[in-house]
């Protein structure tokens, strides 16, 4: 059995994160000592390691909760994981496209700022954004 500080250190998590995961039901309430200290089993640590890994892959806590519910019900199939990961990849690709469009909009504004910047007058008011067309 592991105390919360040990688990937090082992998984590089803040103890408050463990309390939060317990509060929102991602992990079951751990056993407690007579003094009320939480004691985590190896199974709890493994579950927390899974949550940490899934978060590092960009899965939201709701997405992780969904996978854990299937896992807890012993009905988590490779198809379930595949479908969820494909969905996440689609979301990421959409975000990449949105960020690329934003990048492409910002680049010419930065160039215009550079071309308008006058080192002799660093306090000159910038009008680049005033001349920027509003989105349709």
């Amino acid at each position: 059995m592991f105390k919360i500080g040990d688990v937090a250190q082992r998984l590089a998590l803040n103890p408050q994160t463990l309390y939060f995961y317990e509060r929102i039901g991602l992990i079951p309430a751990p056993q407690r000592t007579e003094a009320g200290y939480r004691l985590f089993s190896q199974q709890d640590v493994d579950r927390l390691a899974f949550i940490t890994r899934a978060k590092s892959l960009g899965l939201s806590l709701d997405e992780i909760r969904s996978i854990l519910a299937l896992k807890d019900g012993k009905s988590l199939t490779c198809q379930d994981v595949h479908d969820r990961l494909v969905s996440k990849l689609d979301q990421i690709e959409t975000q990449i496209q949105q960020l690329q469009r934003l990048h492409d909009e910002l680049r010419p504004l930065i160039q215009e700022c550079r071309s308008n910047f006058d080192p002799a007058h660093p306090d000159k008011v910038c009008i680049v954004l005033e001349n920027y067309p509003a989105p349709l």
Side-chain angles (χ1 to χ4, degrees), residues 104-114 128-129 132:
D104 294 346
E105 287 182 44
L106 289 174
R107 176 88 51 204
L109 289 174
I110 291 169
Q111 291 295 62
E112 191 171 341
C113 283
R114 284 186 184 140
V128 169
L129 295 176
Y132 185 71

Side-chain angles (χ1 to χ4, degrees), residues 1-7 10 38-42 45:
M1 300 299 280
F2 306 94
K3 292 182 180 177
I4 197 159
D6 299 329
V7 175
R10 176 185 269 189
R38 290 169 173 81
L39 293 175
F40 294 87
S41 67
Q42 184 60 52
V45 174

Side-chain angles (χ1 to χ4, degrees), residues 14 23 36 59 68 80:
N14 185 313
R23 193 170 55 253
L59 296 173
L68 287 172
D80 292 325

Side-chain angles (χ1 to χ4, degrees), residues 87-116:
S87 175
K88 188 54 153 182
L89 185 60
D90 290 343
Q91 291 173 10
I92 290 169
E93 287 173 349
T94 298
Q95 288 176 320
I96 289 170
Q97 290 169 0
Q98 291 169 343
L99 288 170
Q100 187 61 52
R101 283 193 295 273
L102 179 59
H103 173 273
D104 294 346
E105 287 182 44
L106 289 174
R107 176 88 51 204
L109 289 174
I110 291 169
Q111 291 295 62
E112 191 171 341
C113 283
R114 284 186 184 140
S115 67
N116 288 333

